[in-house]
Amino acid sequence: MSPYFDINDTLKDITDKYPETLPIFISRGFSQMADESMRKTFGATISLKTALSLKKINIDTFSTALEDRIKQESSIADISMKS
């Protein structure tokens, strides 16, 4: 289980809270997430668990990629706040 998101969260919820994850969604076949209006409609209606299941993407692997990106962004924010 991720400390950042739940697999039952919608794609919109995750990308709203962590916009740095958008490139991961887009590069893994969720091209509609690149368009803001599609993200608001499509992304608000589908959970991460369902989306990954439909695309036959491993939940653990994808979640790890999202978490790594969030941690990386958080680390960059921490460094710039110290400067």
Side-chain angles (χ1 to χ4, degrees):
M1 180 154 190
S2 172
Y4 303 103
F5 55 86
D6 186 273
I7 60 170
N8 294 309
D9 288 345
T10 66
L11 303 187
K12 181 183 181 306
D13 288 341
I14 295 169
T15 56
D16 281 354
K17 190 169 183 181
Y18 305 105
E20 63 272 21
T21 62
L22 267 174
I24 295 170
F25 282 101
I26 296 164
S27 70
R28 303 289 199 311
F30 298 99
S31 58
Q32 60 274 40
M33 296 297 286
D35 179 83
E36 187 175 346
S37 64
M38 286 294 290
R39 192 166 53 250
K40 286 180 181 176
T41 56
F42 167 79
T45 62
I46 190 165
S47 71
L48 178 61
K49 180 180 180 179
T50 301
L52 296 178
S53 177
L54 290 171
K55 295 253 185 211
K56 298 182 178 13
I57 297 173
N58 181 282
I59 291 173
D60 293 331
T61 303
F62 193 87
S63 293
T64 298
L66 292 178
E67 289 175 22
D68 289 347
R69 183 64 185 109
I70 293 166
K71 288 176 193 172
Q72 180 184 19
E73 188 67 22
S74 176
S75 174
I76 291 168
D78 288 347
I79 290 170
S80 51
M81 289 181 75
K82 291 178 183 176
S83 298

